[in-house]
Amino acid sequence: MHKAMQQKRPLRNQDIRAAIAQAGLRYWWVAEELGVACGTLSNRLRKELSQEEKQDVLSAVQRLVDRQGIPERPCPGMTLEARATIPGRGW
């Protein structure tokens, strides 16, 4: 297909993606919290999730944020292991 004719698909589940990004989380952390493979979460986000599924993902994001104990956005690229070394804010 010619590049000029290709159309980008709209990004679905933007609220979920924004919540993960704002929390400074990685998709694979959220997938692990949900008990699914990272690829599974990624594939599910390609189609608009039902409200129940969205709530499950947002709950997992909130649980991870609560465990981190870091209310403000952490440094981009900070690993889960690095966050665990912050005094009083470990997992």
Side-chain angles (χ1 to χ4, degrees), residues 15-16 37 39-40 63-64 67:
D15 50 344
I16 301 281
T40 301
R63 285 193 304 271
L64 289 168
R67 254 189 263 155

Side-chain angles (χ1 to χ4, degrees), residues 1 12 27 46 65 67 69 81:
M1 182 178 256
R12 293 173 178 90
Y27 281 80
R46 289 180 187 167
V65 168
R67 254 189 263 155
E81 293 79 15

Side-chain angles (χ1 to χ4, degrees), residues 8-87:
K8 288 195 172 198
R9 285 183 263 156
L11 199 56
R12 293 173 178 90
N13 298 300
Q14 290 182 355
D15 50 344
I16 301 281
R17 296 171 193 274
I20 293 171
Q22 280 185 321
L25 300 173
R26 305 276 187 215
Y27 281 80
W28 70 267
W29 296 343
V30 177
E32 198 171 82
E33 183 69 21
L34 289 167
V36 299
C38 183
T40 301
L41 176 63
S42 186
N43 288 339
R44 287 181 184 168
L45 291 177
R46 289 180 187 167
K47 294 184 179 176
E48 196 65 34
L49 297 175
S50 69
Q51 286 303 317
E52 185 177 300
E53 291 172 317
K54 282 187 178 194
Q55 191 56 47
D56 289 344
V57 176
L58 291 173
S59 294
V61 169
Q62 189 59 51
R63 285 193 304 271
L64 289 168
V65 168
D66 291 345
R67 254 189 263 155
Q68 289 174 6
I70 304 172
E72 68 281 349
R73 183 177 176 169
C75 299
M78 181 183 274
T79 65
L80 192 59
E81 293 79 15
R83 290 181 196 176
T85 63
I86 298 172

Side-chain angles (χ1 to χ4, degrees), residues 1-7:
M1 182 178 256
H2 192 271
K3 281 189 177 186
M5 297 181 79
Q6 284 182 336
Q7 300 228 340

